[in-house]
């Protein structure tokens, strides 16, 4: 029985898209503007930016106290 609902696949961000996202964020673009550029809602952008306090984590560096 068909219920008329279509399945949508929500893909994440590629490494290149994440780099562009962070570049846009550092330039001061809003979450909404960045989301529009990627065809995603601003909440998708928020959940990538917020856990890091808006700061880009350097790759290859383990977090911890020194």
């Amino acid at each position: 029985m068909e219920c008329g609902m279509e399945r949508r696949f929500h893909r994440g961000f590629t490494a290149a898209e994440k780099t562009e996202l962070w570049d846009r964020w550092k330039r001061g673009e809003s979450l909404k503007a960045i989301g529009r550029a990627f065809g995603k809602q601003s909440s998708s952008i928020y959940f990538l930016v917020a856990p890091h306090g808006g700061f880009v984590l350097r790759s290859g560096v383990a977090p911890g106290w020194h």
Side-chain angles (χ1 to χ4, degrees), residues 20-40:
E20 183 179 349
L21 181 150
W22 282 107
D23 288 343
R24 288 173 178 268
W25 178 251
K26 286 190 285 187
R27 287 195 306 260
E29 288 190 36
S30 69
L31 295 174
K32 193 167 194 169
I34 297 169
R36 276 194 306 259
F38 289 101
K40 296 187 179 276

Side-chain angles (χ1 to χ4, degrees), residues 2-57:
E2 287 291 320
C3 61
M5 294 184 65
E6 66 180 70
R7 288 187 176 194
R8 284 201 243 169
F9 176 72
H10 297 283
R11 68 171 180 82
F13 291 91
T14 65
E17 287 173 330
K18 286 180 185 177
T19 299
E20 183 179 349
L21 181 150
W22 282 107
D23 288 343
R24 288 173 178 268
W25 178 251
K26 286 190 285 187
R27 287 195 306 260
E29 288 190 36
S30 69
L31 295 174
K32 193 167 194 169
I34 297 169
R36 276 194 306 259
F38 289 101
K40 296 187 179 276
Q41 294 186 4
S42 59
S43 59
S44 298
I45 309 305
Y46 173 81
F47 287 112
L48 282 173
V49 173
H52 308 294
F55 295 98
V56 181
L57 292 180

